[in-house]
Amino acid sequence: MTQQSDTTPDSVGETYDVFADAGTTTALGGNIHVGYWKEGQDIPITEATDQLTDLVAGRLALQPGQRLLDVGCGNGVPALRIAQAHGVHVTGITVSSQQVARAAELAEKSAARDEVGFLFADAMKLPFEDGSFDGAFAIESLLHMPDQTVALAELRRVVRPGGRLVITDLCQRLPFTGEDRAVLDGLLAVYEIARISAPDEQRARLAEAGWQLLELTDIGEQVRASYGHSAAAFRDIAASLDPPTAARITAAADLLEAFGKHPHAGYVLITARRP
Ligand SMILES: C[S@@+](CC[C@H](N)C(=O)[O-])C[C@H]1O[C@@H](n2cnc3c(N)ncnc32)[C@H](O)[C@@H]1O
């Protein structure tokens, strides 16, 4: 549907390092993902982002002592939250060295410090043995990967039979066309996103990589408020930055806000099982 073919793990890592230096990746309490609001709920974005993590954890069918892989772990905030709440061990991987350092720093201060580990690794070439994990989750990370099917096949390899994979990601309900296409292309470029997929593309890739789909739900309306909140936080941060970085962060804020207002902008919550 939409491609940003020159995105690579290196370019994604560099972009996250720039955004981390600018302070945007900790702007919303350290999670680098949207918030989730239940119907009629009025909670701040910082709580709503944790609530999205809890939604993911709920789909993983966790048992204490299990080993989980967090694919694209950001600052480590979701991994630490899940490890602490469910008594599981979480290994987080990311292609940003700043994020590995930040996650390790946060872990040091956490009661769950012995239950997490963070390392620099590419999801398309996982440095783990077959069947090393009881389950895996990928919160807004697959969209950065040039070959999501390869990443999904790697995840199938390292998750044991019967284990679960939970994914959340931005999606295109219908293609962005005409002038709207510029918003989408801008968003892909500024965040080094390889692709924002349609739900059917997600289904096809999971099947191709050998996953059994249990659930795919569009929760786009429950996360929509996030884009405006994030854009406002980015603009606040931009006010204190040097002019070139401020321009980049302001452009990112404008694109995020425009995407979030678009009716074709959805957000999928996917649960799959390793046969
Ligand atoms: C939007 S952030 C989400 C971070 C985290 N899941 C969260 O919710 O706070 C995307 C994450 O995916 C990671 N990522 C992107 N491509 C990756 C790849 N090929 N292998 C591993 N991680 C990747 C980035 O480094 C970043 O940590």
Side-chain angles (χ1 to χ4, degrees), residues 78-142:
L80 281 161
R81 184 172 177 88
I82 291 176
Q84 190 152 7
H86 297 274
V88 292
H89 187 276
V90 186
T91 301
I93 61 159
T94 169
V95 288
S96 156
S97 45
Q98 293 250 18
Q99 290 180 346
V100 175
R102 169 96 186 133
E105 222 177 84
L106 285 179
E108 261 318 296
K109 296 182 207 140
S110 161
R113 80 178 68 82
D114 296 333
E115 299 309 325
V116 291
F118 299 102
L119 63 146
F120 188 99
D122 178 0
M124 294 176 293
K125 276 185 270 171
L126 289 172
F128 306 112
E129 302 284 315
D130 295 3
S132 315
F133 296 98
D134 296 295
F137 57 98
I139 304 178
E140 290 176 36
S141 57
L142 283 172

Side-chain angles (χ1 to χ4, degrees), residues 1 7 13 21 29 66 70 92 115 174 242 244 265 270:
M1 191 181 255
T7 297
D21 284 342
Q66 286 187 327
D70 179 356
E115 299 309 325
L174 292 168
D242 62 86
I270 298 173

Side-chain angles (χ1 to χ4, degrees), residues 247-267:
R248 187 168 178 185
I249 301 300
T250 304
D254 293 348
L255 290 160
L256 206 55
E257 190 166 53
F259 179 79
K261 283 185 180 155
H262 202 287
H264 294 181
Y267 192 93

Side-chain angles (χ1 to χ4, degrees), residues 8-9 12-13 16 30-34 52-53 70-78 93-96 99 121-126 137-146 151 168 192 267:
T8 64
V12 172
Y16 275 104
N31 287 311
I32 316 175
H33 62 238
V34 297
L52 184 95
T53 303
D70 179 356
V71 187
C73 61
N75 296 315
V77 177
I93 61 159
T94 169
V95 288
S96 156
Q99 290 180 346
D122 178 0
M124 294 176 293
K125 276 185 270 171
L126 289 172
F137 57 98
I139 304 178
E140 290 176 36
S141 57
L142 283 172
L143 78 175
H144 287 296
M145 299 180 199
T168 72
E192 282 297 319
Y267 192 93

